[in-house]
Amino acid sequence: MYRIMIADDEGIVVDSFTYILKEEFGEDVTIETAKTGRSVIELAERFRPDIALMDIRMPGINGIDAIKEIRKRNTGIVFIIISAYDKFGYAQEAMSQGVMDYLNKPVDRGQLIQTVKKAMELVDSEREKRSKELEILEKMETVTPIIESGLIYNMLFQDFFKEDIENFKKILEIDSDYGYMIALVFGEKQEGSILTNAVGTSVRIQNRIRDLREIVKSYFSGIVGAVMANKIAIFIPYDKKEFDYAERIEIIDTARNMVRRLDTQLDATFRAGVGCVKPLDKQMISYNEALDSLAITTGSVVHSDDLSIGCGYEDDYPIDLEDAIFESVRKGDINKGISVSNQFFEWMMESYGSYSEDIKLKTLEFVLRAESIAYQKSGNTYRFRSREDYLGVINSAPDYETLRKWFLDRISEACHNVMSRKETRSTGVIDRAREYIMANYKKDISLDDVSREVDISPYYFSKIFKEATGENFIEYLTNIRIEKAKELLNDTDMSMKEICVEVGYSNPNYFSRIFKKNVGVSPTEYKA
């Protein structure tokens, strides 16, 4: 159905155009008419036509000015100018307003119909484009919450590689390297700092999660996680490393307004804790600050900066270096661990060189922390007396260079223990996987079968298998089967069907296609 508006001050023109279009297009068109510039503007607002046939010279507002006014409220109308004035200036101004065509009166029936058909094609094209846009939007409405929950999960549980975070940032159009967390908690009612009936309220809120997301996003341009018990983590990207006072107050006020609206529209009691600004890989700290803030106060909204949640540091303390040391240990990165540890030791000597006891204590503290991480990550056995000489070594160190060497050696060893464990486990997994594949390549085995055999997830197995072999699982299995097939073709008189089954394929035609794709010739040609 197409809505067509005819605007002309000559009744006979309006009647004849209406008759021609009704006769040609029948029930496919709905037509309404106007005779003055003002009435056509009013009609356009009410009727919202798809196509408009407009005369230039009408009483009151002329056709060109009417088009300009109509365009302000409806940009999608296809305009066709029909006028007795064959002047270049009129045509030029009409076209500048996006008019599709300019016809001179008297208009031939065939020319009118063809021009209207052309306009209908434009309308159809725009409708199809809009339909596809809505379809994409609908899909995004479904997919976006899943992607956002994935990012929140990765941030909170540190279950990510650097490239994963970069992919999330790209998909969700996040430009910042910093941000902060809001912990949104809810229940039936508040008693002290506790919200009652957390489970029942959580089930009810889960059914209203779309409404909750819309409300939150109307106040904060952030990423909303999934419901976890009676909590939802919200990540807000932020361009600076810390809040200033005015920004903190604005965030608190915005959060209060959000909580009030959530209380009213979702019929529950909400509270919001706000954590400090942190790098993306430290958002777990910000989230815990937000939760801790809610635990020690009864306000509906609280900012961790107001409660001094977390540890503060003197202005020149190199917290970035400290974090980098222990991150290096967690990753088993020996070179970086040595580098950042050396930088930290340099800072201690430059800043507190005359305080040897303090430097010794900090050195011991870092070594013990690094080894604790290494024990957890490497799977090595902790022995109570494994550090029996540490105090003696530190206290008897004749100079800072001796102490530095001991410090770097211990950090290096901690990193090495983590890396060795990773490499040993990965090597063992890959060796077992290869053995399993070699023993079972004749069967219909899958990536899931092999990952189950080596007892790790398919996702992680696929990643380390590709890193170790340079091939994905299917490529590796196919190459083994093809090599075995070539041996049988060269050394036996087995039939093609028998060879096909012997190397794990049930369909000879499929086997032949795979063989030719990998070898360059068919099995028959290869045997010949």
Side-chain angles (χ1 to χ4, degrees), residues 458-512:
Y459 170 80
Y460 184 64
F461 170 71
S462 177
K463 181 180 185 300
I464 64 173
F465 189 84
K466 179 71 177 288
E467 289 175 350
T469 66
E471 300 172 309
N472 64 37
F473 168 73
I474 293 298
E475 292 169 343
Y476 186 85
L477 177 61
T478 299
N479 287 336
I480 287 178
R481 287 172 167 173
I482 295 300
E483 288 303 313
K484 291 298 179 182
K486 287 162 69 175
E487 290 177 13
L488 295 173
L489 287 167
N490 287 328
D491 304 333
T492 73
D493 293 326
M494 294 172 67
S495 69
M496 205 62 65
K497 185 174 182 180
E498 289 172 327
I499 293 174
C500 170
V501 173
E502 186 67 17
V503 298
Y505 294 103
S506 59
N507 186 322
N509 291 330
Y510 179 69
F511 164 65
S512 183

Side-chain angles (χ1 to χ4, degrees), residues 40 74 79 95 122 147 168 185 187-189 192-193 212 258 262-263 283 341 355 408 427 524:
V40 76
N74 191 335
F79 285 99
M95 293 307 172
L122 287 176
I147 298 172
F168 276 118
V185 299
E188 190 171 299
K189 62 180 181 178
S193 62
L212 183 146
M258 177 186 73
L262 288 168
D263 287 349
Q283 288 305 305
S341 296
Y355 299 93
L408 298 182
T427 301
T524 304

Side-chain angles (χ1 to χ4, degrees), residues 15-39:
D15 293 341
S16 63
F17 284 178
T18 300
Y19 176 79
I20 291 170
L21 296 178
K22 279 288 188 183
E23 185 180 48
E24 177 68 24
F25 300 108
E27 297 299 321
D28 289 339
V29 297
T30 298
I31 298 173
E32 293 204 17
T33 64
K35 293 186 177 181
T36 67
R38 177 178 176 177
S39 62

Side-chain angles (χ1 to χ4, degrees), residues 186-415:
F186 42 85
E188 190 171 299
K189 62 180 181 178
Q190 184 174 344
E191 294 180 357
S193 62
I194 305 299
L195 292 169
T196 63
N197 192 19
V199 175
T201 309
S202 177
V203 172
R204 187 158 52 82
I205 293 300
Q206 184 69 64
N207 295 327
R208 300 286 304 278
I209 189 62
R210 184 171 181 175
D211 295 332
L212 183 146
R213 286 175 55 85
E214 289 178 356
I215 293 171
V216 169
K217 285 177 176 286
S218 69
Y219 289 92
F220 291 97
S221 299
I223 307 301
V224 182
V227 175
M228 299 181 292
N230 69 326
K231 302 175 182 66
I232 293 177
I234 303 165
F235 168 66
I236 315 296
Y238 201 69
D239 292 330
K240 295 187 289 188
K241 294 184 178 181
E242 59 184 15
F243 300 113
D244 63 32
Y245 179 79
E247 289 168 330
R248 193 167 89 233
I249 299 305
E250 183 179 354
I251 288 169
I252 293 171
D253 288 342
T254 302
R256 281 203 182 101
N257 292 331
M258 177 186 73
V259 164
R260 279 195 288 267
R261 186 173 166 194
L262 288 168
D263 287 349
T264 302
Q265 292 192 215
L266 301 187
D267 190 26
T269 300
F270 285 82
R271 302 180 69 209
V274 184
C276 295
V277 178
K278 302 289 180 185
L280 297 190
D281 60 350
K282 298 291 188 296
Q283 288 305 305
M284 183 61 174
I285 298 173
S286 182
Y287 183 67
N288 284 334
E289 289 174 345
L291 287 178
D292 290 344
S293 299
L294 291 173
I296 61 177
T297 186
T298 58
S300 61
V301 174
V302 60
H303 199 297
S304 60
D305 276 346
D306 289 339
L307 303 175
S308 299
I309 297 293
C311 175
Y313 293 87
E314 56 191 353
D315 291 341
D316 64 340
Y317 186 84
I319 185 61
D320 290 345
L321 285 179
E322 177 176 320
D323 290 343
I325 292 171
F326 301 112
E327 185 65 20
S328 300
V329 176
R330 291 186 189 94
K331 293 180 177 179
D333 190 337
I334 298 173
N335 290 332
K336 186 173 181 181
I338 293 174
S339 174
V340 292
S341 296
N342 193 49
Q343 291 177 55
F344 189 89
F345 202 92
E346 283 288 336
W347 173 81
M348 288 196 297
M349 289 175 56
E350 291 175 5
S351 302
Y352 298 98
S354 58
Y355 299 93
S356 61
E357 295 301 315
D358 296 286
I359 290 179
K360 290 177 180 178
L361 280 173
K362 179 57 73 172
T363 300
L364 180 60
E365 175 196 332
F366 274 25
V367 167
L368 295 179
R369 282 177 62 185
E371 290 183 347
S372 178
I373 293 170
Y375 277 122
Q376 295 171 23
K377 294 287 185 180
S378 68
N380 290 340
T381 301
Y382 170 76
R383 302 188 187 284
F384 185 78
R385 302 201 69 238
S386 62
R387 298 157 169 165
E388 59 179 327
D389 64 336
Y390 281 17
L391 285 175
V393 169
I394 288 176
N395 287 327
S396 64
D399 50 49
Y400 282 143
E401 289 309 312
T402 303
L403 185 62
R404 184 206 300 261
K405 184 179 184 305
W406 183 83
F407 176 50
L408 298 182
D409 286 346
R410 297 287 74 74
I411 297 296
S412 175
E413 184 177 354
C415 293

